[in-house]
Amino acid sequence: MPSHAHTESPSSPSSASSASPSSASPSPYDPLRRERDHLAAARAALRAMRHDVEALDITDVTGNWVNAKILAGEIEVRIKALADLADTPLFFGRLDYLHAPGVELAEGAEGESFYIGRRHVHDADGDPMVIDWRAPVSQPFYRASRTEPLDVALRRRFGYTGGELTAYEDEHLSDPAESDATTSKLLQTEIERPRVGPMRDIVATIQPEQDEIVRAGITGSVCVQGAPGTGKTAVGLHRVAYLLYAHRERLARTGTLVIGPNKSFLRYIEQVLPALGELQVKQATVDDLVAHVEVRGTDGATAARIKGDVRMAQVLRRAVRAGIRMPTEPVMVVRGSRRWRVPAYELEEIVRELAARDIRYGAAHDALPQRIAHAVLVQMERAGEAPDDRVQDAVARNPAVKAAVKACWPPVDPAKVVLRLLSEPEFLASCADGLLTEEEQRAVRWEKPARGLKSARWSAADAVLVDEAYDLVQRTSSLGHVVLDEAQDLSPMQYRAVGRRCSTGSATVLGDLAQGTTPWATSSWAEALAHLGKPEARVEELTRGFRVPREVIAYASRLLPAIAPGLAPATSVRESAGALAVRAVPAGGLDAAVVDACRASLGFEGSVGLIAADTRIPELGAALAAAGLDHLSPGEETSATARLTLVPASLAKGLEYDYVVLDEPAAVVAAEPDERTGLRRLYVALTRAVSGLTVLHATPLPQALAA
């Protein structure tokens, strides 16, 4: 597609049809110099914007100290958002329109030019110097093509080295002589740039199919089925940034949340949104959301699977409502010299009506005294009195009414309900009758019943049950938008926990069915979205990879018939000769071969990940230390300088490294409870490499991979 690439020197990344060596005296019409001048002017304008905010005097603006503190906090956030990050290009592209957007020009008149960047920058007169990538006028930068130019005459991409603008590349979309088949070399270079440290944004390289998902409306939910390397995580994060731009006031009230599979993953992605100017998006794991109790225990695969089954929602509903009792005595309310009697049958009608309605247990508990009080007020009105709302509230607080409510609809502690359910066989049997078999009930019961909340050894699955019980008692607050990544690994009960957090908002669900590695991993997105409460969400599939080399993804795709037969293999735009090496080593020589492979990978630029079965991690860590190779654990990349990371296979999901050394695939498979889950775990490990993958094995490869 690009017809002209211009660089500072021949070594810059491009297929330069002309070059301007840095030693040459630049012409006053030198485009590269003009672009550098615009970059310098834009940076100066950004500094001025920040200085203007820092100079604001709010001493006499607010009426009280509370408002002053809130305003000061907002100003502080604004100052941080206006920071000029030296290593982050202020703009990465330019659009030259044939016509001014929204304006009819005379024949022969030229349109406007817009610089596209991570944030908006304007000069002292308020004229834009850089346009936010999320603005409507920026969309053609990602969508325009020669077949559909969208009124764009020229699209220019910029190349940077160490924060300095060193190259540009032009695409003349309205020129019929240009080919639409050539890949942008600057775009390819940006995609393949070494990945040291945390995940970075892809704002300069978003592809049309990705942009369509990023800019989808806030009212609908989207599920993205993405093969490895298709950028689904980045798409989800950029979608958050876009929605905050397009619906800032709405989401400022309702909030946004990004949910990841583990802390290592969250640390890996934590810099993406701040780099895009969004500093207040919260991030959490599902375990963080349901942290009502301290998790100190673990479940076996069978118990965890049953506790995660959607049938447990009905078991818990029965357990929460197990204390409801029909009244057998009337209520006598004394007010002054008068007595008002509500008979037992009328009380029973009120209780049965509330029990039949699909409302929270706590809401019904709060409504019951008001309903009883209303029955008393009806009698008062019949007797000629004219009671008002204050009288009804007083009757609802009457000791006799409160006693009746406590007897019929007692208050419930959600954690204690779950504690009783898992500790008392008789209570579990009554609540699970017709839902769980006796064998399943035995599987979920605690071997040693806890005597109280403090002694209980809650598991992660138990915490989800407690969260469900809390929602049955009191409605969980809903956010405006939730991004759920690695969603294929959630149980139905975990989906419900997430769905409660966006019941009145929307969601972006990201995952890959082929990478499901939990015993309860979902088999279809339709099923998962139903549990989430978003059955109407549209499912988008990303199959074109930009990260994993073609040779590597083809090798990993050998596993698809065994782990996800319904999915099409991913394709890759990246060709990298020699990206894959599979070597058998003699028994007893595996550790030494792994160390040698890591040392060889460190000879290239970028990050290196050594992925192995969890049980092999201590041994390999000792081998690396003995060889003098400094290494990190997942998540430490954000604060350390070493380029080699030792990664347990159970934590590899969502991470990526320029070079991966995979230790003993058979051990990765054997570490899981069943072969299919093990092969899925292996699929994840095989697809973490960006530039090269070395597979070392002393035992035979799994049959599905060796075919």
Side-chain angles (χ1 to χ4, degrees), residues 69-124:
K69 189 172 183 179
I70 293 173
L71 181 56
E74 291 179 350
I75 290 175
E76 183 178 353
V77 171
R78 176 67 173 164
I79 291 172
K80 290 180 180 178
L82 289 171
D84 185 6
L85 306 177
D87 295 332
T88 303
L90 196 55
F91 57 79
F92 47 81
R94 195 183 94 187
L95 288 178
D96 292 358
Y97 278 89
L98 289 170
H99 308 91
V103 178
E104 290 293 334
L105 298 181
E107 185 176 351
E110 294 184 357
E112 295 183 70
S113 295
F114 298 95
Y115 288 84
I116 313 301
R118 286 169 171 78
R119 58 155 302 104
H120 175 85
V121 179
H122 60 255
D123 61 16

Side-chain angles (χ1 to χ4, degrees), residues 17-81:
S17 60
S18 63
S20 301
S22 58
S23 59
S25 176
S27 160
Y29 302 104
D30 177 12
L32 190 58
R33 170 55 62 90
R34 289 204 305 271
E35 301 294 15
R36 287 171 170 169
D37 289 344
H38 186 80
L39 176 61
R43 288 196 183 281
L46 181 59
R47 289 194 295 270
M49 291 171 61
R50 179 168 177 155
H51 176 74
D52 289 344
V53 178
E54 291 172 333
L56 288 174
D57 184 0
I58 62 172
T59 306
D60 300 321
V61 174
T62 57
N64 56 64
W65 69 270
V66 175
N67 289 341
K69 189 172 183 179
I70 293 173
L71 181 56
E74 291 179 350
I75 290 175
E76 183 178 353
V77 171
R78 176 67 173 164
I79 291 172
K80 290 180 180 178

Side-chain angles (χ1 to χ4, degrees), residues 205-269:
T205 61
I206 295 174
Q207 299 299 294
E209 66 270 25
Q210 297 172 327
D211 188 66
E212 184 176 348
I213 297 170
V214 167
R215 297 177 191 265
I218 193 173
T219 55
S221 295
V222 180
C223 175
V224 182
Q225 159 61 41
T230 54
K232 57 183 177 294
T233 296
V235 166
L237 295 175
H238 287 68
R239 176 158 162 73
V240 171
Y242 171 77
L243 292 177
L244 286 168
Y245 174 88
H247 308 279
R248 190 167 300 280
E249 290 187 7
R250 175 176 175 176
L251 291 179
R253 295 192 306 270
T254 56
T256 55
L257 177 66
V258 175
I259 303 174
N262 51 58
K263 295 294 186 182
S264 294
F265 178 84
L266 293 180
R267 285 192 292 267
Y268 177 63
I269 68 170

Side-chain angles (χ1 to χ4, degrees), residues 447-658:
E447 293 182 2
K448 296 181 179 179
R451 297 181 179 179
L453 292 177
K454 292 185 178 180
S455 64
R457 294 186 62 83
W458 302 100
S459 68
D462 296 335
V464 178
L465 299 182
V466 174
D467 186 72
E468 179 84 21
Y470 267 95
D471 187 70
L472 288 167
V473 175
Q474 198 72 36
R475 182 182 296 275
T476 304
S477 298
S478 175
L479 297 165
H481 191 78
V482 169
V483 174
L484 174 62
D485 205 351
E486 301 297 347
Q488 74 280 345
D489 279 334
L490 268 61
S491 69
M493 294 300 289
Q494 287 175 317
Y495 279 120
R496 291 174 61 87
V498 174
R500 288 191 282 275
R501 272 73 184 180
C502 56
S503 58
T504 59
S506 55
T508 301
V509 181
L510 312 167
D512 180 9
L513 297 179
Q515 297 186 56
T517 53
T518 57
W520 48 83
T522 188
S523 58
S524 74
W525 289 122
E527 177 186 347
L529 293 169
H531 293 315
L532 190 69
K534 305 293 181 184
E536 77 291 346
R538 80 171 196 263
V539 179
E540 299 284 351
E541 188 169 3
L542 296 177
T543 58
R544 191 161 67 113
F546 305 95
R547 177 176 57 78
V548 184
R550 189 174 302 170
E551 193 175 356
V552 173
I553 196 66
Y555 183 67
S557 294
R558 295 182 183 185
L559 299 176
L560 286 179
I563 62 176
L567 293 183
T571 60
S572 178
V573 301
R574 298 189 58 195
E575 291 188 38
S576 181
L580 175 67
V582 181
R583 295 200 295 267
V585 299
L590 184 58
D591 289 1
V594 166
V595 170
D596 290 343
C598 289
R599 184 178 285 109
S601 297
L602 288 169
F604 300 99
E605 184 182 5
S607 58
V608 179
L610 169 54
I611 303 178
D614 292 32
T615 54
R616 287 270 294 155
I617 294 299
E619 183 178 346
L620 291 176
L624 293 175
L629 294 181
D630 293 336
H631 62 277
L632 313 169
S633 297
E636 292 181 354
E637 298 96 324
T638 57
S639 59
T641 56
R643 294 194 292 124
L644 173 62
T645 304
L646 181 55
V647 188
S650 62
L651 295 181
K653 192 170 297 181
L655 305 179
E656 59 182 24
Y657 303 92
D658 286 285

